[in-house]
Amino acid sequence: DANSYVKFTVDTNSNLTIATAESGIITISDAVTFSAAPTFSTGMTISGSLTANAFVSGFATTITTAGPHDAVNVTGKSAIICNTTSNNVTIGGFTGGVAGQVLYVIKTVDANLLIFEDTEGTGNQDIYLEDNANHWIVNQGVFGLVCDGSNWFAIIPGVTS
């Protein structure tokens, strides 16, 4: 097609930009190596495997208010940082989780409690805990969860119930 093209642009910092006419799809059939962190403006789809030979970072959100938080949006998040300096923080569910997503909930201070509510039943993505009971972190700590696409399950249960 005369109106189709792939445009390669190198800026003054030696950054390469690849673009297609009319938001087309670029398919790369061979291996690609990034020596620096790439930026994808509209996302990236991988068919096959992805090998990471370096740290893969995620995105975090912060909670400081008491809640209860029954619909914490975790779209694209790998961590929730909870500051319980002023009050207990209660989490009862999430939204936006996808199958296989791992989420680390981090309590950064010793004051007050970080509370996880078991199967809160809010219609969002519930948290399923080992003993079918609420759990909490008393001191600083981390609680890990994995999503099955509909709900979340504890994978790091180092808390007191």
Side-chain angles (χ1 to χ4, degrees):
D1 184 339
N3 294 324
S4 297
Y5 64 87
V6 175
K7 181 179 177 182
F8 295 87
T9 307
V10 178
D11 67 17
T12 56
N13 294 320
S14 299
N15 294 315
L16 171 65
T17 301
I18 303 172
T20 62
E22 302 184 27
S23 301
I25 296 173
I26 299 172
T27 302
I28 301 171
S29 300
D30 294 321
V32 176
T33 301
F34 297 106
S35 59
T39 301
F40 300 96
S41 60
T42 58
M44 178 175 75
T45 301
I46 298 173
S47 299
S49 63
L50 171 66
T51 302
N53 294 322
F55 177 73
V56 178
S57 64
F59 295 93
T61 191
T62 302
I63 298 176
T64 58
T65 57
H69 299 279
D70 295 331
V72 178
N73 186 344
V74 294
T75 302
K77 304 290 190 277
S78 59
I80 298 174
I81 300 167
C82 298
N83 183 333
T84 58
T85 299
S86 300
N87 45 258
N88 293 338
V89 171
T90 302
I91 300 174
F94 302 102
T95 61
V98 297
Q101 181 178 354
V102 176
L103 184 65
Y104 298 99
V105 184
I106 305 160
K107 184 175 184 282
T108 59
V109 297
D110 288 337
N112 298 302
L113 300 173
L114 172 57
I115 302 165
F116 297 92
E117 296 178 314
D118 179 71
T119 56
E120 181 65 12
T122 60
N124 296 310
Q125 295 174 323
D126 280 335
I127 302 169
Y128 285 80
L129 300 168
E130 186 175 344
D131 298 327
N132 296 323
N134 293 350
H135 287 228
W136 57 85
I137 297 177
V138 177
N139 299 311
Q140 296 174 13
V142 178
F143 193 77
L145 299 152
V146 66
C147 185
D148 70 354
S150 299
N151 296 294
W152 290 85
F153 300 88
I155 56 173
I156 302 175
V159 296
T160 306
S161 63

